[in-house]
Each structure stands twice: as structure tokens, then as C-alpha cells.
Amino acid sequence: MKNMLNLYLLGVVLTLLSVFVRLMETLGALVENPLPGSTWNTRGQLTNTESPKGLPDHQSRGVQ
């Protein structure tokens, strides 16, 4: 009976390991080749964007 339990637990561990490996492969593929309709930005895309406008400087408000 103990032998059957060990085989069952081995099957569960191998199944979970297989699911984990498949998930890592999928995530790695998404990082390297994002989907065309994806809204996520990669590092290369972030360097090409303009920085948002900050607060106006004091001279535009007439403060000297």
C-alpha cells in the first residue's frame, strides 16, 4: 500500500513540474515576442516615449 502511495505522489509531483515548466516556457515566449495587440511596453519602447509634462515653472505664473 505504501508503494502505491509513493507512485501516486510521484505522479502528482511530475504533473505539477510539467505544468510549471509549460508556464515558464509560455511566459518566456511572451516576454521575447509580445502579442501584436498587447498594451504592455518593453524596455525598448519605454526609451522612445516622451516624458510627461511636469508642473509649469514659476516664470509662467508671473513669479520672479
Side-chain angles (χ1 to χ4, degrees), residues 28-52:
L30 285 177
V31 167
E32 292 175 4
N33 300 320
L35 296 175
S38 176
T39 58
W40 295 98
N41 290 329
T42 61
R43 287 185 185 175
Q45 291 171 340
L46 288 177
T47 58
N48 296 332
T49 60
E50 294 181 8
S51 60

